[in-house]
Amino acid sequence: MTTLIKAEQLTRYYGKHCAVNQLSFSLAKGQILGFLGANGAGKTTTLQMLCGNLAPTSGEIQVNGFDMLKQAKLAKRSLGYVPDTPPLYKELSVNEFLRYCAQLHGVPKADIPAAVKLAETRCGLTDVADRLIANLSKGYQQRIGIAQAIVHNPDVIILDEPTVGLDPLQIIEIRNLIRELGRNHGVIFSTHILSEVQELCTDVLIIRQGACVLNARIDALPAEKSLEAIFIELMQAGDL
C-alpha cells in the first residue's frame, strides 16, 4: 500500500509540559485510522502538527514523501483538514464558499466548477448549493466542512471529531461519507465515540499522556474484548 503519512518520533512541548511524546505511526491509502485518547492526551496537538499548523519540538512528518517542515507547500497539497468546528464563511452560499476554497487550494480555474460539483455531490450538498450557509443546519455545515477539505481531491483527509453535536440521522450520514472517502483516500478520524471507530475504521491509534499505547488493525484486536474495554484498560494502566 502507498504510504501517505509517516510520523517519526513526533514530540511537542509547551514550556516544560510534553503534550506529544515520541509518537510514531503511518497512514496508507485505503486506511481509516481511528485516533483515540482522553481529553488532554495530545490528539488535537498531533493533528495540528500533521497539518503543518504547529511545528513539532522534534521529530519528522512526511506527507506523500514530502517533509512537512522543509517542503511544507508540497506536503500540504495532499491534505484536507476538518477541525471540530469547520471554518465557514456563513454569509456565502455553499457554492460560493466551495469555489473560494478551491481557489485557495490551487485548483486550476478551468477545473473549479467540476471540482466543486463533485465535492457537493459526494457530501450530499447538491440540493442546497445555492443556499446561504448561515441558514443551514449543523449537519449540513459539517458536510460543507468536509466538502472544503476534499474539493482539491487530497490524498489525506484529517477529521477532528466531525460528528460532535449532530443528531442520530446526521451522524449516520457523516459516517457513510467517511466510509466512502476511505475507499480512495487515507483518513485520520479523531473521536471520543468508540463505537464509531469500531464500525468505521480499519485501524486504531490510542494515545495516553501524548504517547502511543496501542496501534493496531481493528480486525487484529482480541475478539473477546470490545474496543471500549480495551480503551478503559489502557487509560487505567499505571504511569507511562
Side-chain angles (χ1 to χ4, degrees):
M1 290 191 295
T2 303
T3 299
L4 299 176
I5 285 185
K6 187 176 182 180
E8 292 282 352
Q9 300 294 304
L10 204 56
T11 300
R12 172 70 194 198
Y13 278 88
Y14 293 103
K16 294 183 179 181
H17 173 67
C18 184
V20 178
N21 186 8
Q22 298 184 341
L23 182 61
S24 298
F25 66 94
S26 62
L27 178 76
K29 182 178 179 180
Q31 282 185 303
I32 303 178
L33 177 64
F35 189 29
L36 300 174
N39 287 333
K43 299 191 303 299
T44 297
T45 295
T46 300
L47 297 183
Q48 290 285 320
M49 289 191 288
L50 293 178
C51 294
N53 296 334
L54 186 66
T57 303
S58 62
E60 296 182 356
I61 301 167
Q62 289 189 359
V63 181
N64 251 348
F66 297 108
D67 187 285
M68 181 57 78
L69 290 178
K70 299 176 182 177
Q71 301 166 293
K73 286 187 177 180
L74 293 173
K76 289 179 181 181
R77 286 178 183 172
S78 297
L79 291 173
Y81 175 49
V82 186
D84 54 356
T85 302
L88 307 176
Y89 291 128
K90 296 184 179 182
E91 68 276 13
L92 299 180
S93 71
V94 174
N95 193 270
E96 289 169 339
F97 176 69
L98 293 179
R99 283 175 173 270
Y100 173 65
C101 291
Q103 292 173 8
L104 290 180
H105 284 301
V107 177
K109 187 175 181 179
D111 297 336
I112 287 177
V116 169
K117 184 176 181 180
L118 179 59
E120 289 173 346
T121 300
R122 294 178 79 183
C123 295
L125 296 168
T126 303
D127 292 341
V128 298
D130 295 323
R131 292 182 58 184
L132 292 181
I133 294 173
N135 295 334
L136 296 174
S137 69
K138 184 167 183 178
Y140 272 117
Q141 291 185 17
Q142 289 290 84
R143 291 195 218 176
I144 297 164
I146 296 175
Q148 63 81 25
I150 67 172
V151 71
H152 58 305
N153 195 33
D155 292 307
V156 178
I157 301 165
I158 297 177
L159 308 171
D160 191 357
E161 301 192 41
T163 59
V164 168
L166 302 186
D167 66 38
L169 289 178
Q170 292 168 339
I171 289 173
I172 291 171
E173 292 170 352
I174 297 298
R175 283 179 180 174
N176 289 337
L177 175 57
I178 293 170
R179 191 178 287 111
E180 190 270 326
L181 292 173
R183 297 191 186 109
N184 298 304
H185 305 265
V187 179
I188 297 178
F189 173 42
S190 173
T191 181
H192 284 295
I193 305 173
L194 301 181
S195 61
E196 288 188 332
V197 173
Q198 192 103 44
E199 180 181 342
L200 280 176
C201 298
T202 60
D203 298 78
V204 59
L205 174 66
I206 300 178
I207 64 173
R208 177 169 168 252
Q209 298 173 12
C212 175
V213 291
L214 179 69
N215 187 1
R217 295 278 301 180
I218 291 289
D219 56 16
L221 297 176
E224 69 277 8
K225 286 186 179 180
S226 67
L227 182 57
E228 180 178 5
I230 293 170
F231 181 83
I232 291 172
E233 283 184 10
L234 292 170
M235 293 301 106
Q236 293 178 343
D239 291 340
L240 296 175

